Protein backbone atom coordinates (compact mmCIF):
# COMPACT_ATOMS: atom_id res chain seq x y z
CA UNK A 1 0.00 0.00 0.00
CA UNK A 2 1.60 3.22 -1.15
CA UNK A 3 0.48 6.54 0.29
CA UNK A 4 1.40 9.67 -1.64
CA UNK A 5 2.22 13.15 -0.36
CA UNK A 6 -1.33 14.37 0.15
CA UNK A 7 -2.23 11.09 1.87
CA UNK A 8 0.37 11.84 4.57
CA UNK A 9 0.24 15.61 4.46
CA UNK A 10 -0.89 16.19 8.07
CA UNK A 11 -1.82 14.29 11.20
CA UNK A 12 -5.43 13.79 10.10
CA UNK A 13 -4.26 12.22 6.85
CA UNK A 14 -1.93 9.92 8.80
CA UNK A 15 -4.79 8.89 11.13
CA UNK A 16 -6.78 7.93 8.02
CA UNK A 17 -3.79 6.00 6.67
CA UNK A 18 -3.51 4.05 9.93
CA UNK A 19 -7.19 3.15 9.78
CA UNK A 20 -6.87 1.98 6.19
CA UNK A 21 -3.83 -0.14 7.01
CA UNK A 22 -5.52 -1.46 10.17
CA UNK A 23 -8.51 -2.72 8.20
CA UNK A 24 -6.13 -4.81 6.15
CA UNK A 25 -3.91 -6.16 8.91
CA UNK A 26 -5.08 -9.75 8.62
CA UNK A 27 -2.75 -9.84 5.62
CA UNK A 28 0.94 -8.98 5.73
CA UNK A 29 1.18 -5.45 4.42
CA UNK A 30 4.08 -3.32 3.25
CA UNK A 31 3.30 0.37 3.62
CA UNK A 32 5.29 2.68 1.35
CA UNK A 33 5.11 6.38 2.18
CA UNK A 34 6.09 9.54 0.34
CA UNK A 35 7.33 12.72 1.94
CA UNK A 36 4.60 15.01 3.33
CA UNK A 37 2.95 17.01 0.53
CA UNK A 38 5.25 19.73 -0.77
CA UNK A 39 8.32 18.61 1.18
CA UNK A 40 10.33 17.29 -1.77
CA UNK A 41 9.76 20.61 -3.57
CA UNK A 42 10.88 22.52 -0.49
CA UNK A 43 14.00 20.37 -0.10
CA UNK A 44 14.85 21.07 -3.73
CA UNK A 45 14.52 24.80 -3.05
CA UNK A 46 16.67 24.54 0.07
CA UNK A 47 19.45 22.88 -1.90
CA UNK A 48 19.25 25.45 -4.70
CA UNK A 49 19.22 28.38 -2.26
CA UNK A 50 22.20 26.94 -0.46
CA UNK A 51 24.44 27.01 -3.53
CA UNK A 52 23.03 30.16 -5.06
CA UNK A 53 23.11 32.38 -2.01
CA UNK A 54 26.82 31.93 -1.48
CA UNK A 55 27.65 32.22 -5.16
CA UNK A 56 25.71 35.52 -5.22
CA UNK A 57 27.42 36.78 -2.12
CA UNK A 58 30.85 35.82 -3.37
CA UNK A 59 30.27 37.93 -6.46
CA UNK A 60 28.81 40.98 -4.76
CA UNK A 61 30.68 41.32 -1.56
CA UNK A 62 33.77 39.22 -1.10
CA UNK A 63 34.14 38.03 2.45
CA UNK A 64 36.53 35.91 4.44
CA UNK A 65 35.89 32.25 3.60
CA UNK A 66 35.31 31.31 7.24
CA UNK A 67 32.54 33.89 7.58
CA UNK A 68 30.57 32.30 4.77
CA UNK A 69 29.18 29.28 6.51
CA UNK A 70 28.35 31.24 9.66
CA UNK A 71 25.37 32.89 8.07
CA UNK A 72 24.32 29.81 6.18
CA UNK A 73 22.09 30.94 3.33
CA UNK A 74 19.25 32.68 5.04
CA UNK A 75 16.52 31.45 2.75
CA UNK A 76 17.63 27.85 3.04
CA UNK A 77 17.71 28.21 6.82
CA UNK A 78 14.20 29.68 6.96
CA UNK A 79 12.79 26.90 4.79
CA UNK A 80 14.59 24.20 6.78
CA UNK A 81 13.35 25.46 10.10
CA UNK A 82 9.80 25.68 8.68
CA UNK A 83 10.05 22.02 7.68
CA UNK A 84 11.40 21.05 11.08
CA UNK A 85 8.52 22.82 12.78
CA UNK A 86 5.98 21.08 10.52
CA UNK A 87 7.38 17.62 11.29
CA UNK A 88 7.66 18.28 15.02
CA UNK A 89 4.07 19.51 15.11
CA UNK A 90 2.89 16.44 13.30
CA UNK A 91 4.73 14.17 15.73
CA UNK A 92 3.20 16.04 18.64
CA UNK A 93 -0.32 15.78 17.26
CA UNK A 94 -0.02 12.09 16.42
CA UNK A 95 1.79 10.97 19.55
CA UNK A 96 0.14 13.12 22.22
CA UNK A 97 -0.60 10.94 25.22
CA UNK A 98 2.38 8.65 24.74
CA UNK A 99 5.35 10.47 26.21
CA UNK A 100 7.89 7.79 25.44
CA UNK A 101 7.05 7.53 21.74
CA UNK A 102 6.74 11.30 21.46
CA UNK A 103 10.17 11.89 23.00
CA UNK A 104 11.80 9.22 20.83
CA UNK A 105 10.23 10.67 17.71
CA UNK A 106 11.07 14.26 18.57
CA UNK A 107 14.68 13.22 19.14
CA UNK A 108 14.80 11.45 15.78
CA UNK A 109 13.33 14.43 13.95
CA UNK A 110 15.74 16.84 15.60
CA UNK A 111 18.72 14.62 14.82
CA UNK A 112 17.65 14.33 11.19
CA UNK A 113 17.36 18.11 10.90
CA UNK A 114 20.75 18.60 12.56
CA UNK A 115 22.26 16.37 9.87
CA UNK A 116 20.30 18.05 7.09
CA UNK A 117 21.50 21.48 8.23
CA UNK A 118 25.04 20.20 8.22
CA UNK A 119 24.74 18.99 4.64
CA UNK A 120 23.15 22.26 3.54
CA UNK A 121 25.98 24.17 5.18
CA UNK A 122 28.63 22.06 3.44
CA UNK A 123 26.95 22.63 0.08
CA UNK A 124 26.85 26.33 0.69
CA UNK A 125 30.52 26.47 1.67
CA UNK A 126 31.60 24.36 -1.28
CA UNK A 127 29.25 26.27 -3.57
CA UNK A 128 28.61 23.04 -5.37
CA UNK A 129 25.48 20.95 -5.64
CA UNK A 130 26.13 17.59 -7.22
CA UNK A 131 23.36 15.13 -8.09
CA UNK A 132 24.70 12.97 -5.30
CA UNK A 133 24.23 15.74 -2.72
CA UNK A 134 20.79 16.57 -4.10
CA UNK A 135 19.71 12.92 -3.76
CA UNK A 136 20.97 12.95 -0.20
CA UNK A 137 19.00 16.07 0.65
CA UNK A 138 15.82 14.81 -1.01
CA UNK A 139 15.99 11.55 0.97
CA UNK A 140 15.18 13.44 4.17
CA UNK A 141 11.56 13.99 3.13
CA UNK A 142 10.75 10.28 3.05
CA UNK A 143 12.95 9.36 6.02
CA UNK A 144 11.18 11.97 8.14
CA UNK A 145 7.65 11.04 7.11
CA UNK A 146 8.22 7.30 7.52
CA UNK A 147 9.90 7.71 10.92
CA UNK A 148 6.96 9.66 12.31
CA UNK A 149 4.27 7.48 10.75
CA UNK A 150 6.02 4.36 12.04
CA UNK A 151 5.75 5.62 15.60
CA UNK A 152 2.13 6.62 15.08
CA UNK A 153 1.42 3.08 13.87
CA UNK A 154 3.06 1.63 16.96
CA UNK A 155 0.96 3.93 19.12
CA UNK A 156 -2.18 2.69 17.41
CA UNK A 157 -1.28 -0.89 18.31
CA UNK A 158 -0.31 -2.14 14.86
CA UNK A 159 2.43 -4.78 14.94
CA UNK A 160 4.75 -2.84 12.72
CA UNK A 161 8.45 -2.82 11.72
CA UNK A 162 10.46 -0.01 10.12
CA UNK A 163 12.61 -0.77 7.07
CA UNK A 164 15.01 1.52 5.23
CA UNK A 165 14.15 1.30 1.52
CA UNK A 166 17.80 1.96 0.71
CA UNK A 167 18.66 -1.51 1.97
CA UNK A 168 16.30 -3.10 -0.60
CA UNK A 169 15.81 -0.81 -3.58
CA UNK A 170 19.18 -0.94 -5.30
CA UNK A 171 19.82 1.18 -8.40
CA UNK A 172 22.67 2.19 -10.64
CA UNK A 173 24.55 5.41 -9.87
CA UNK A 174 22.24 7.84 -11.70
CA UNK A 175 21.64 9.66 -8.44
CA UNK A 176 18.44 11.51 -9.30
CA UNK A 177 16.81 8.85 -11.47
CA UNK A 178 18.40 5.57 -10.57
CA UNK A 179 17.68 2.52 -12.67
CA UNK A 180 16.47 -0.25 -10.36
CA UNK A 181 18.55 -3.43 -10.37
CA UNK A 182 15.65 -5.83 -10.27
CA UNK A 183 17.70 -9.00 -9.70
CA UNK A 184 19.13 -7.59 -6.49
CA UNK A 185 15.78 -6.11 -5.42
CA UNK A 186 14.07 -9.47 -5.96
CA UNK A 187 16.59 -11.03 -3.62
CA UNK A 188 16.72 -8.35 -0.94
CA UNK A 189 13.02 -7.59 -0.55
CA UNK A 190 11.89 -11.13 0.34
CA UNK A 191 14.90 -11.56 2.64
CA UNK A 192 13.91 -8.50 4.60
CA UNK A 193 10.18 -9.12 4.57
CA UNK A 194 10.44 -12.79 5.54
CA UNK A 195 12.45 -11.71 8.56
CA UNK A 196 10.20 -8.85 9.60
CA UNK A 197 6.89 -10.59 9.04
CA UNK A 198 7.84 -13.30 11.53
CA UNK A 199 6.84 -10.92 14.31
CA UNK A 200 4.93 -8.13 12.57
CA UNK A 201 1.89 -7.65 10.38
CA UNK A 202 3.04 -4.42 8.78
CA UNK A 203 6.38 -3.17 7.45
CA UNK A 204 6.64 0.53 6.76
CA UNK A 205 9.25 1.86 4.37
CA UNK A 206 9.95 4.86 2.15
CA UNK A 207 9.03 5.41 -1.45
CA UNK A 208 11.28 7.24 -3.91
CA UNK A 209 14.61 6.71 -2.14
CA UNK A 210 17.08 4.04 -3.07
CA UNK A 211 20.82 3.35 -3.04
CA UNK A 212 23.57 1.93 -5.20
CA UNK A 213 24.98 -1.49 -4.40
CA UNK A 214 27.77 0.37 -2.55
CA UNK A 215 25.25 2.19 -0.40
CA UNK A 216 25.36 5.67 -1.98
CA UNK A 217 21.91 7.31 -1.79
CA UNK A 218 19.94 7.65 -5.04
CA UNK A 219 16.30 8.36 -5.90
CA UNK A 220 13.93 6.87 -8.47
CA UNK A 221 13.01 10.30 -9.88
CA UNK A 222 10.15 12.63 -8.98
CA UNK A 223 6.91 10.84 -8.23
CA UNK A 224 8.91 7.64 -7.78
CA UNK A 225 7.14 6.31 -4.69
CA UNK A 226 4.61 4.53 -6.91
CA UNK A 227 7.53 2.80 -8.58
CA UNK A 228 8.95 1.71 -5.21
CA UNK A 229 5.61 0.15 -4.29
CA UNK A 230 5.45 -1.71 -7.59
CA UNK A 231 9.04 -2.95 -7.26
CA UNK A 232 8.40 -4.24 -3.75
CA UNK A 233 5.11 -5.77 -4.88
CA UNK A 234 6.91 -7.57 -7.68
CA UNK A 235 9.80 -8.75 -5.51
CA UNK A 236 7.47 -9.93 -2.75
CA UNK A 237 4.95 -11.57 -5.09
CA UNK A 238 2.25 -9.38 -3.59
CA UNK A 239 -1.39 -10.27 -4.18
CA UNK A 240 -2.12 -6.63 -5.02
CA UNK A 241 -0.34 -3.27 -5.31
CA UNK A 242 -2.42 -0.41 -3.95
CA UNK A 243 -1.67 3.21 -4.79
CA UNK A 244 -3.52 5.46 -2.31
CA UNK A 245 -3.77 9.01 -3.53
CA UNK A 246 -6.03 12.09 -3.43
CA UNK A 247 -8.52 11.16 -6.18
CA UNK A 248 -10.88 8.20 -6.77
CA UNK A 249 -8.53 6.30 -9.03
CA UNK A 250 -7.52 6.97 -12.59
CA UNK A 251 -9.91 9.38 -14.29
CA UNK A 252 -10.90 10.00 -17.88
CA UNK A 253 -8.54 12.98 -17.67
CA UNK A 254 -6.87 15.01 -14.93
CA UNK A 255 -9.76 16.09 -12.66
CA UNK A 256 -7.83 19.30 -11.96
CA UNK A 257 -8.13 20.20 -15.62
CA UNK A 258 -11.68 19.05 -16.37
CA UNK A 259 -14.39 19.15 -13.67
CA UNK A 260 -16.42 16.46 -15.35
CA UNK A 261 -13.57 13.92 -15.43
CA UNK A 262 -14.81 10.64 -14.00
CA UNK A 263 -13.21 7.63 -12.43
CA UNK A 264 -12.48 4.58 -14.60
CA UNK A 265 -13.36 1.35 -12.82
CA UNK A 266 -11.21 -1.11 -14.81
CA UNK A 267 -8.38 -0.58 -17.24
CA UNK A 268 -5.52 -2.60 -18.68
CA UNK A 269 -1.83 -2.49 -17.81
CA UNK A 270 -1.05 -1.14 -21.30
CA UNK A 271 -3.60 1.64 -21.06
CA UNK A 272 -2.40 2.68 -17.61
CA UNK A 273 1.24 2.56 -18.71
CA UNK A 274 0.49 4.63 -21.79
CA UNK A 275 -1.54 7.19 -19.83
CA UNK A 276 1.18 7.71 -17.26
CA UNK A 277 3.93 7.74 -19.85
CA UNK A 278 2.06 10.45 -21.71
CA UNK A 279 1.62 12.67 -18.69
CA UNK A 280 -1.06 11.46 -16.23
CA UNK A 281 0.62 12.19 -12.93
CA UNK A 282 -1.62 9.82 -10.99
CA UNK A 283 0.93 7.04 -11.61
CA UNK A 284 4.68 7.27 -12.09
CA UNK A 285 5.35 6.09 -15.66
CA UNK A 286 7.39 3.07 -14.57
CA UNK A 287 4.86 1.77 -12.04
CA UNK A 288 3.09 -0.69 -14.25
CA UNK A 289 6.09 -2.53 -15.60
CA UNK A 290 6.96 -4.52 -12.43
CA UNK A 291 3.28 -5.33 -11.98
CA UNK A 292 3.12 -6.75 -15.51
CA UNK A 293 6.19 -8.87 -14.83
CA UNK A 294 4.34 -10.87 -12.18
CA UNK A 295 0.80 -10.09 -13.29
CA UNK A 296 -0.09 -8.34 -10.04
CA UNK A 297 -3.27 -6.24 -10.11
CA UNK A 298 -2.77 -2.55 -9.29
CA UNK A 299 -5.54 -0.66 -7.54
CA UNK A 300 -5.61 3.15 -7.40
CA UNK A 301 -7.62 4.36 -4.41
CA UNK A 302 -8.59 7.56 -2.62
CA UNK A 303 -7.19 7.84 0.91
CA UNK A 304 -9.74 10.54 1.74
CA UNK A 305 -12.66 8.32 0.64
CA UNK A 306 -11.34 4.81 1.29
CA UNK A 307 -14.65 3.09 0.55
CA UNK A 308 -14.88 4.34 -3.01
CA UNK A 309 -14.12 1.78 -5.66
CA UNK A 310 -11.17 3.50 -7.37
CA UNK A 311 -9.54 1.89 -10.40
CA UNK A 312 -8.46 -1.69 -10.88
CA UNK A 313 -5.66 -2.18 -13.40
CA UNK A 314 -5.43 -5.69 -14.85
CA UNK A 315 -3.58 -7.60 -17.53
CA UNK A 316 -4.62 -6.66 -21.01
CA UNK A 317 -6.68 -9.73 -21.82
CA UNK A 318 -8.81 -9.13 -18.73
CA UNK A 319 -10.12 -5.87 -20.17
CA UNK A 320 -12.53 -6.24 -23.06
CA UNK A 321 -13.92 -2.80 -23.71
CA UNK A 322 -12.58 -1.20 -26.93
CA UNK A 323 -12.32 2.48 -27.72
CA UNK A 324 -11.13 5.64 -26.01
CA UNK A 325 -10.46 5.24 -22.31
CA UNK A 326 -8.83 8.51 -21.24
CA UNK A 327 -7.05 11.68 -22.30
CA UNK A 328 -3.65 12.60 -20.92
CA UNK A 329 -1.43 15.55 -21.63
CA UNK A 330 1.94 17.09 -20.97
CA UNK A 331 1.48 20.77 -20.39
CA UNK A 332 4.93 22.03 -21.26
CA UNK A 333 6.87 20.33 -24.01
CA UNK A 334 9.29 21.45 -26.70
CA UNK A 335 9.15 20.47 -30.36
CA UNK A 336 12.44 20.08 -32.22
CA UNK A 337 12.29 20.16 -36.01
CA UNK A 338 15.23 18.82 -37.94
CA UNK A 339 15.49 19.44 -41.65
CA UNK A 340 18.10 18.07 -44.01
CA UNK A 341 18.15 17.50 -47.75
CA UNK A 342 20.72 14.81 -47.01
CA UNK A 343 17.93 12.67 -45.59
CA UNK A 344 16.59 12.09 -49.07
CA UNK A 345 17.28 8.46 -49.97
CA UNK A 346 20.05 8.35 -47.39
CA UNK A 347 20.56 5.76 -44.73
CA UNK A 348 22.12 6.29 -41.34
CA UNK A 349 20.63 9.75 -40.89
CA UNK A 350 18.19 8.79 -38.15
CA UNK A 351 20.88 6.77 -36.40
CA UNK A 352 23.06 9.83 -36.28
CA UNK A 353 20.17 11.95 -35.09
CA UNK A 354 19.19 9.68 -32.23
CA UNK A 355 22.78 9.14 -31.22
CA UNK A 356 22.80 12.79 -30.23
CA UNK A 357 19.74 12.33 -28.00
CA UNK A 358 21.23 9.12 -26.60
CA UNK A 359 24.46 10.89 -25.75
CA UNK A 360 22.59 13.47 -23.65
CA UNK A 361 20.26 10.87 -22.13
CA UNK A 362 17.12 12.65 -23.37
CA UNK A 363 14.19 10.54 -24.48
CA UNK A 364 11.97 11.61 -27.32
CA UNK A 365 8.19 11.27 -26.87
CA UNK A 366 6.60 11.74 -30.28
CA UNK A 367 8.23 11.54 -33.66
CA UNK A 368 6.92 12.27 -37.09
CA UNK A 369 8.97 12.15 -40.25
CA UNK A 370 8.82 13.05 -43.91
CA UNK A 371 11.52 12.63 -46.57
CA UNK A 372 13.56 15.57 -45.40
CA UNK A 373 12.12 16.41 -42.00
CA UNK A 374 11.95 14.91 -38.53
CA UNK A 375 9.88 16.49 -35.75
CA UNK A 376 10.27 15.30 -32.19
CA UNK A 377 8.87 16.31 -28.81
CA UNK A 378 10.84 16.31 -25.58
CA UNK A 379 9.55 17.21 -22.15
CA UNK A 380 12.80 18.34 -20.67
CA UNK A 381 14.63 21.56 -21.40
CA UNK A 382 17.79 20.22 -19.84
CA UNK A 383 20.65 19.57 -22.29
CA UNK A 384 18.62 21.11 -25.11
CA UNK A 385 21.33 23.61 -26.01
CA UNK A 386 23.94 20.87 -26.36
CA UNK A 387 21.61 18.74 -28.47
CA UNK A 388 20.76 21.62 -30.79
CA UNK A 389 24.40 22.55 -31.27
CA UNK A 390 25.29 19.00 -32.23
CA UNK A 391 22.29 18.51 -34.51
CA UNK A 392 23.06 21.80 -36.23
CA UNK A 393 26.34 20.35 -37.41
CA UNK A 394 24.55 18.15 -39.91
CA UNK A 395 21.01 19.58 -40.26
CA UNK A 396 18.95 22.74 -39.95
CA UNK A 397 17.24 22.81 -36.56
CA UNK A 398 14.34 24.87 -35.27
CA UNK A 399 12.74 24.71 -31.84
CA UNK A 400 9.14 25.54 -30.81
CA UNK A 401 8.49 26.16 -27.16
CA UNK A 402 5.27 26.78 -25.18
CA UNK A 403 3.64 23.69 -26.68
CA UNK A 404 1.54 20.99 -25.07
CA UNK A 405 1.10 17.39 -26.03
CA UNK A 406 -2.27 15.68 -25.85
CA UNK A 407 -2.75 11.90 -26.00
CA UNK A 408 -5.96 9.98 -26.52
CA UNK A 409 -5.48 6.53 -24.99
CA UNK A 410 -7.65 3.43 -25.37
CA UNK A 411 -7.86 -0.10 -26.70
CA UNK A 412 -7.73 -1.09 -30.38
CA UNK A 413 -7.82 2.53 -31.49
CA UNK A 414 -6.55 1.67 -34.95
CA UNK A 415 -9.52 -0.59 -35.53
CA UNK A 416 -12.02 1.99 -34.34
CA UNK A 417 -13.38 3.47 -37.55
CA UNK A 418 -14.09 7.17 -37.58
CA UNK A 419 -11.98 7.87 -34.50
CA UNK A 420 -9.62 10.37 -36.14
CA UNK A 421 -12.63 12.29 -37.42
CA UNK A 422 -14.10 12.49 -33.93
CA UNK A 423 -10.80 13.52 -32.32
CA UNK A 424 -9.81 16.13 -34.84
CA UNK A 425 -13.39 17.27 -35.36
CA UNK A 426 -13.60 18.04 -31.65
CA UNK A 427 -10.48 20.21 -31.78
CA UNK A 428 -10.94 21.69 -35.25
CA UNK A 429 -10.88 25.25 -33.86
CA UNK A 430 -7.29 24.88 -32.73
CA UNK A 431 -3.98 24.74 -34.48
CA UNK A 432 -2.43 21.28 -34.40
CA UNK A 433 1.26 21.15 -35.16
CA UNK A 434 2.18 17.51 -35.04
CA UNK A 435 0.27 14.23 -35.05
CA UNK A 436 1.51 10.81 -34.11
CA UNK A 437 -0.47 7.61 -33.95
CA UNK A 438 1.27 5.31 -31.50
CA UNK A 439 2.66 2.15 -33.00
CA UNK A 440 1.17 0.47 -29.94
CA UNK A 441 -2.39 0.87 -31.20
CA UNK A 442 -3.48 2.40 -27.93
CA UNK A 443 -2.70 6.05 -28.35
CA UNK A 444 -3.09 8.93 -30.76
CA UNK A 445 -1.11 12.01 -29.78
CA UNK A 446 -0.77 15.53 -31.11
CA UNK A 447 0.76 18.87 -30.24
CA UNK A 448 -1.12 22.13 -29.62
CA UNK A 449 -0.23 25.59 -28.40
CA UNK A 450 0.06 25.65 -24.65
CA UNK A 451 -2.46 28.48 -24.47
CA UNK A 452 -5.07 26.20 -26.12
CA UNK A 453 -4.48 23.17 -23.91
CA UNK A 454 -7.34 23.58 -21.43
CA UNK A 455 -9.84 24.22 -24.21
CA UNK A 456 -8.56 21.32 -26.31
CA UNK A 457 -8.71 18.81 -23.44
CA UNK A 458 -12.16 20.15 -22.50
CA UNK A 459 -13.52 19.68 -26.05
CA UNK A 460 -12.07 16.20 -26.38
CA UNK A 461 -13.45 15.21 -23.01
CA UNK A 462 -16.92 16.38 -23.88
CA UNK A 463 -16.75 14.54 -27.22
CA UNK A 464 -15.85 11.20 -25.65
CA UNK A 465 -17.09 11.24 -22.07
CA UNK A 466 -19.89 13.74 -21.48
P1 LIG B 1 0.43 11.41 -4.85
O1 LIG B 1 1.05 12.47 -4.02
O2 LIG B 1 -0.61 10.61 -4.12
O3 LIG B 1 1.44 10.56 -5.55
P2 LIG B 1 0.03 12.88 -7.31
O4 LIG B 1 -0.22 14.32 -7.14
O5 LIG B 1 1.38 12.43 -7.72
O6 LIG B 1 -0.42 12.17 -5.94
O7 LIG B 1 -1.03 12.24 -8.32
C1 LIG B 1 -2.41 12.46 -8.12
C2 LIG B 1 -2.88 13.59 -9.04
O8 LIG B 1 -2.73 13.16 -10.38
C3 LIG B 1 -4.32 13.94 -8.93
O9 LIG B 1 -4.56 14.87 -7.89
C4 LIG B 1 -4.64 14.51 -10.31
O10 LIG B 1 -4.65 15.91 -10.33
C5 LIG B 1 -3.49 14.05 -11.18
N1 LIG B 1 -3.94 13.36 -12.40
C6 LIG B 1 -3.49 13.61 -13.65
N2 LIG B 1 -4.10 12.86 -14.55
C7 LIG B 1 -4.99 12.09 -13.88
C8 LIG B 1 -5.92 11.09 -14.27
N3 LIG B 1 -6.07 10.71 -15.55
N4 LIG B 1 -6.65 10.50 -13.31
C9 LIG B 1 -6.51 10.85 -12.01
N5 LIG B 1 -5.65 11.80 -11.58
C10 LIG B 1 -4.89 12.41 -12.50
N1 LIG C 1 8.31 12.66 -2.62
C1 LIG C 1 8.71 12.35 -3.96
C2 LIG C 1 8.25 13.45 -4.91
O1 LIG C 1 7.58 14.39 -4.50
C3 LIG C 1 8.24 11.01 -4.42
C4 LIG C 1 6.74 10.83 -4.53
O2 LIG C 1 5.98 11.60 -3.93
O3 LIG C 1 6.33 9.90 -5.22
O4 LIG C 1 8.59 13.41 -6.06
MG1 LIG D 1 2.65 10.84 -7.27
Amino acid sequence: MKFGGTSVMDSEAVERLIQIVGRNSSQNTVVVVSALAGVTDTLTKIARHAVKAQAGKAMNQPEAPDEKHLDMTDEAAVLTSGLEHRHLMMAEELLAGNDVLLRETTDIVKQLFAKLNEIVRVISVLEELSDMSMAKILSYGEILSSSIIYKAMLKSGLRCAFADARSMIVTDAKYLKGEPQTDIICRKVPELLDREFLNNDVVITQGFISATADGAGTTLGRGGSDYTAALIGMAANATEIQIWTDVDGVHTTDPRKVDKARSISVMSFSEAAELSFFGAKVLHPATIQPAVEKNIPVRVLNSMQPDRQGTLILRDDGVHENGVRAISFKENITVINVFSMKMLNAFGFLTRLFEVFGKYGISVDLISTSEVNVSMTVDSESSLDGIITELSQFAAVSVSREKSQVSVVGKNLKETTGLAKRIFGAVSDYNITMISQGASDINISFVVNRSDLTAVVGSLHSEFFE
Side-chain angles (χ1 to χ4, degrees):
M1 302 172 101
K2 175 263 173 174
F3 292 84
T6 42
S7 303
V8 296
M9 70 179 176
D10 53 24
S11 49
E12 280 161 33
V14 174
E15 302 279 12
R16 280 195 297 272
L17 173 157
I18 291 172
Q19 272 184 13
I20 293 168
V21 174
R23 298 196 307 192
N24 198 56
S25 64
S26 59
Q27 284 175 296
N28 286 342
T29 308
V30 182
V31 174
V32 173
V33 293
S34 294
L36 315 191
V39 167
T40 310
D41 286 338
T42 308
L43 289 167
T44 308
K45 281 191 200 140
I46 289 171
R48 299 224 165 105
H49 278 310
V51 262
K52 258 196 238 146
Q54 286 306 335
K57 271 184 198 155
M59 265 188 289
N60 297 333
Q61 37 170 191
E63 53 193 13
D66 55 341
E67 275 175 37
K68 278 188 179 174
H69 56 274
L70 289 181
D71 83 312
M72 177 197 109
T73 75
D74 305 335
E75 276 140 313
V78 169
L79 289 174
T80 314
S81 89
L83 278 189
E84 181 166 3
H85 179 71
R86 180 171 170 197
H87 285 91
L88 287 172
M89 286 288 293
M90 186 190 221
E92 237 164 72
E93 285 166 18
L94 286 168
L95 300 167
N98 188 323
D99 292 347
V100 177
L101 283 178
L102 177 57
R103 199 171 335 107
E104 281 172 10
T105 314
T106 307
D107 286 350
I108 291 171
V109 171
K110 287 187 174 160
Q111 277 163 23
L112 287 168
F113 274 97
K115 275 198 212 144
L116 176 61
N117 280 324
E118 215 174 294
I119 297 170
V120 171
R121 205 168 293 126
V122 168
I123 285 171
S124 109
V125 171
L126 292 178
E127 292 173 22
E128 186 190 73
L129 178 62
S130 62
D131 286 357
M132 193 183 189
S133 320
M134 184 60 120
K136 188 150 206 105
I137 291 184
L138 294 184
S139 71
Y140 279 81
E142 269 70 10
I143 291 291
L144 281 158
S145 63
S146 58
S147 302
I148 299 171
I149 298 167
Y150 167 57
K151 299 289 188 180
M153 284 182 164
L154 290 180
K155 185 187 168 212
S156 77
L158 282 174
R159 295 197 323 144
C160 178
F162 179 90
D164 191 321
R166 293 169 295 190
S167 68
M168 310 181 260
I169 306 297
V170 174
T171 69
D172 67 6
K174 279 197 238 63
Y175 294 101
L176 295 178
K177 206 167 196 292
E179 186 62 37
Q181 312 288 291
T182 40
D183 292 355
I184 308 180
I185 295 172
C186 283
R187 207 181 59 239
K188 296 216 169 208
V189 168
E191 261 170 34
L192 186 144
L193 295 183
D194 287 349
R195 196 169 62 236
E196 298 297 353
F197 282 136
L198 285 177
N199 298 312
N200 296 287
D201 302 320
V202 178
V203 172
I204 181 171
T205 191
Q206 310 78 29
F208 178 57
I209 65 173
S210 40
T212 63
D214 302 335
T218 59
T219 75
L220 299 179
R222 292 304 306 270
S225 295
D226 304 334
Y227 196 14
T228 307
L231 288 165
I232 294 178
M234 172 191 71
N237 283 317
T239 48
E240 189 166 288
I241 296 162
Q242 297 184 349
I243 306 293
W244 290 86
T245 183
D246 59 355
V247 286
D248 291 336
V250 182
H251 282 56
T252 45
T253 192
D254 187 345
R256 284 186 212 194
K257 189 62 111 191
V258 176
D259 285 346
K260 291 187 178 151
R262 54 183 156 79
S263 175
I264 301 166
S265 55
V266 182
M267 69 194 310
S268 69
F269 283 144
S270 315
E271 288 167 334
E274 203 82 347
L275 260 187
S276 55
F277 184 76
F278 286 99
K281 192 189 168 205
V282 63
L283 287 176
H284 179 278
T287 310
I288 296 301
Q289 168 211 318
V292 172
E293 201 107 337
K294 294 271 181 79
N295 187 22
I296 302 172
V298 177
R299 224 181 261 278
V300 184
L301 294 153
N302 186 347
S303 68
M304 319 218 186
Q305 307 275 352
D307 295 321
R308 299 260 176 96
Q309 187 189 9
T311 300
L312 179 60
I313 306 171
L314 296 171
R315 59 195 266 176
D316 297 9
D317 57 12
V319 179
H320 303 293
E321 209 182 320
N322 279 346
V324 174
R325 181 87 64 224
I327 300 156
S328 63
F329 52 85
K330 290 188 177 179
E331 177 119 25
N332 185 14
I333 56 116
T334 301
V335 180
I336 303 172
N337 296 296
V338 177
F339 171 86
S340 172
M341 289 306 281
K342 285 190 220 142
M343 267 180 83
L344 218 50
N345 296 324
F347 52 84
F349 183 85
L350 288 178
T351 311
R352 207 167 157 199
L353 185 85
F354 289 116
E355 263 167 15
V356 175
F357 285 90
K359 180 175 157 192
Y360 287 90
I362 298 294
S363 69
V364 168
D365 263 358
L366 303 183
I367 308 171
S368 68
T369 59
S370 70
E371 281 94 337
V372 290
N373 221 317
V374 185
S375 295
M376 292 152 292
T377 65
V378 295
D379 65 0
S380 153
E381 277 278 320
S382 68
S383 315
L384 212 54
D385 289 346
I387 288 176
I388 291 165
T389 310
E390 291 206 24
L391 292 176
S392 302
Q393 286 164 12
F394 59 93
V397 183
S398 69
V399 174
S400 322
R401 293 193 165 83
E402 288 299 301
K403 298 286 178 193
S404 300
Q405 178 177 309
V406 179
S407 304
V408 175
V409 172
K411 195 174 180 201
N412 286 335
L413 296 189
K414 272 187 201 154
E415 275 101 73
T416 314
T417 314
L419 187 64
K421 185 175 167 202
R422 280 185 76 191
I423 294 175
F424 296 110
V427 299
S428 59
D429 289 343
Y430 306 96
N431 190 26
I432 292 175
T433 44
M434 191 177 153
I435 300 174
S436 167
Q437 175 152 13
S440 58
D441 189 26
I442 59 170
N443 118 50
I444 296 174
S445 296
F446 53 91
V447 172
V448 297
N449 291 327
R450 190 174 174 183
S451 51
D452 291 337
L453 177 68
T454 305
V456 164
V457 175
S459 301
L460 275 177
H461 195 269
S462 74
E463 170 67 28
F464 288 102
F465 303 110
E466 292 169 27

